[in-house]
Amino acid sequence: MLTEAVDHAAQGIVLVDSQMRVRLVNAKARTLWHLSDEQCSGSPIFADFIYNIAAAGAYDLKDEQLADYVMRRFEMVETGDTTPIEILLTDGRTIRAVVTPLPSGGRMVSHTDVSDLVSRATRAEQQDSRDTLTTLLNMRGFEKSADIEWRRFKRHHAPFSIAVFNINRLSRINRDYGHDAGDRAIIHVSSVARRETRSTDILARIDADRFVVLMPETGLEGAKTLADRLAWSVMHDPLYVDGAKVPLSVRASAAEANEEFPDVPAIVAAAESAGMQEGSGNTLPAPAR
C-alpha cells in the first residue's frame, strides 16, 4: 500500500540511498522527466540519473550549462541541502525541487509543479512595475531595469544616457479641458515616446507629468537628438479633445552616465537640471537620430 501510495502521489518523488543510488522513482517523476522504467530500475547512480534527464531534453538549459547544473544538483542531494530550487522545463513549466534528508542517510527529492504560482507572481510583479494609465514602466520598474544598465556601466564601461521630458502645463490642461483631457495628453505623449524610442531603450513614466528614457550604448549627443525629436514630434502630432486642439508640448533634457555619478537617480537629476529651454526642438525640422 505504501508503494502504491507513493506511485500515485501528485508530486514527483525520487528516493536516493546513502550511497547516492536511486532506489525509487514514482510514476509522476518518470513522466515529468521523460524517463523509461528501464532507466529508473537497477539502482542507477544519482549523477547518471540526472544526466539521463538532461539527455531526455527536459531541462530548459543551454548545452554549456548542463554540466554545471548536474554537478550542482548532485552536490545539493549529496549534502542534503534543503534549499528549494526552481527548474524551468522546455515545455515552459516550472518545477520546484526540494531535498529532504532521511534518518537512514538517504534522501527524498520531491518535485512540485509550481507553474501557476510562478505565473501569478510574475503577473503581479509586472503589474506592480507598470503605470496603470500608460502601461509604461513606473518608477519602481524603471529603477529595476536601470540598475542592470548601471551595473553594466560599472563593470564594462558600457555607455548609456538618460533623457527626461515633462509635459508642459499639464495642470492647465486639466483645468481648461478637464481631467479626462489631461489623461489623454499623458497617453498621447507616451504613445509618441514609444514611437520615437528604440526597443532597447528603457521608457518609463515616473511622475504625473514626467517621463524618462534610458538609452543603452548612447552618448550625450544621441540623447539630446532624441530629446529634440520627442519635443518636435509632440508639437507636430496634435491632440484633439471634443474637436478642440489641446496645446501640448514637452520640455526635454539629457545627461550621460560617467564615473562621477554615484547612481542612476543622480543621472536623472543631472538630466533634469541640464536646462534645455521649454519647447526645445519644437521649431526644428524632424531631427534624425
Side-chain angles (χ1 to χ4, degrees), residues 196-198 201 213-216 218 222-223 225-226 229 287-289:
E196 298 296 346
T197 52
R198 305 167 299 184
D201 294 337
V213 54
L214 186 153
M215 293 155 277
T218 303
T225 299
L226 172 67
R229 189 169 70 248
R289 188 169 181 179

Side-chain angles (χ1 to χ4, degrees), residues 1 23 31 33 39 62 88 108 157 167 189 192 204 231 252 284 289:
M1 288 178 64
R23 301 301 298 271
T31 301
W33 303 123
Q39 288 175 307
K62 297 179 181 178
L88 186 62
M108 179 176 72
H157 303 288
I167 300 176
V189 169
V192 172
L284 299 174
R289 188 169 181 179

Side-chain angles (χ1 to χ4, degrees), residues 212-253:
V212 63
V213 54
L214 186 153
M215 293 155 277
E217 305 296 333
T218 303
L220 182 59
E221 290 306 312
K224 287 181 177 179
T225 299
L226 172 67
D228 285 344
R229 189 169 70 248
L230 275 170
W232 189 93
S233 296
V234 170
M235 193 71 163
H236 292 80
D237 191 350
L239 171 66
Y240 290 91
V241 175
D242 297 330
K245 182 178 179 180
V246 177
L248 190 59
S249 63
V250 298
R251 181 177 65 258
S253 52

Side-chain angles (χ1 to χ4, degrees), residues 8 63 83 115 117 122 124 132 141 171 197 207 235 248 257 260 284-285:
H8 285 78
D63 292 341
T83 305
S115 303
L117 294 175
T122 300
T132 55
S171 59
T197 52
D207 206 345
M235 193 71 163
L248 190 59
E260 296 181 3
L284 299 174

Side-chain angles (χ1 to χ4, degrees), residues 147 150 153-154 258-267:
D147 183 62
W150 178 249
F153 169 74
K154 297 295 287 186
N258 64 54
E259 295 291 347
E260 296 181 3
F261 291 114
D263 50 30
V264 171
I267 306 173

Side-chain angles (χ1 to χ4, degrees), residues 41-267:
S41 63
S43 301
I45 297 172
F46 185 71
D48 292 339
F49 177 77
I50 296 294
Y51 272 115
N52 285 336
I53 296 174
Y59 300 136
D60 186 17
L61 293 171
K62 297 179 181 178
D63 292 341
E64 60 269 22
Q65 297 174 312
L66 284 175
D68 287 341
Y69 173 77
V70 170
M71 180 62 69
R72 179 188 173 203
R73 290 297 294 135
F74 183 87
E75 290 177 349
M76 291 185 72
V77 174
E78 184 179 42
T79 60
D81 187 343
T82 60
T83 305
I85 68 165
E86 293 182 352
I87 306 167
L88 186 62
L89 306 187
T90 51
D91 62 8
R93 290 182 296 162
T94 302
I95 305 300
R96 180 170 295 155
V98 179
V99 177
T100 302
L102 303 176
S104 64
R107 309 283 186 256
M108 179 176 72
V109 188
S110 59
H111 304 90
T112 306
D113 190 336
V114 294
S115 303
D116 288 345
L117 294 175
V118 172
S119 179
R120 285 198 293 269
T122 300
R123 287 197 298 270
E125 183 178 0
Q126 289 175 342
Q127 290 172 353
D128 197 36
S129 299
R130 291 283 171 181
D131 173 54
T132 55
L133 182 61
T134 65
T135 72
L136 297 178
L137 291 174
N138 58 20
M139 174 64 87
R140 180 174 180 177
F142 173 75
E143 288 175 345
K144 287 181 180 179
S145 298
D147 183 62
I148 297 173
E149 289 302 320
W150 178 249
R151 285 187 274 118
R152 285 183 66 236
F153 169 74
K154 297 295 287 186
R155 187 178 300 115
H156 305 296
H157 303 288
F160 73 87
S161 295
I162 288 178
V164 178
F165 53 104
N166 299 64
I167 300 176
N168 292 321
R169 298 176 294 277
L170 180 61
S171 59
R172 183 178 297 180
I173 293 174
N174 285 324
R175 185 192 66 201
D176 294 346
Y177 297 89
H179 285 279
D180 179 64
D183 287 347
R184 290 177 61 180
I186 293 168
I187 294 171
H188 185 77
V189 169
S190 70
S191 177
V192 172
R194 276 193 174 101
R195 186 179 70 223
E196 298 296 346
T197 52
R198 305 167 299 184
S199 61
T200 53
D201 294 337
I202 301 170
L203 176 63
R205 180 191 178 202
I206 59 175
D207 206 345
D209 61 350
R210 189 160 58 117
F211 298 78
V212 63
V213 54
L214 186 153
M215 293 155 277
E217 305 296 333
T218 303
L220 182 59
E221 290 306 312
K224 287 181 177 179
T225 299
L226 172 67
D228 285 344
R229 189 169 70 248
L230 275 170
W232 189 93
S233 296
V234 170
M235 193 71 163
H236 292 80
D237 191 350
L239 171 66
Y240 290 91
V241 175
D242 297 330
K245 182 178 179 180
V246 177
L248 190 59
S249 63
V250 298
R251 181 177 65 258
S253 52
E256 182 178 1
N258 64 54
E259 295 291 347
E260 296 181 3
F261 291 114
D263 50 30
V264 171
I267 306 173

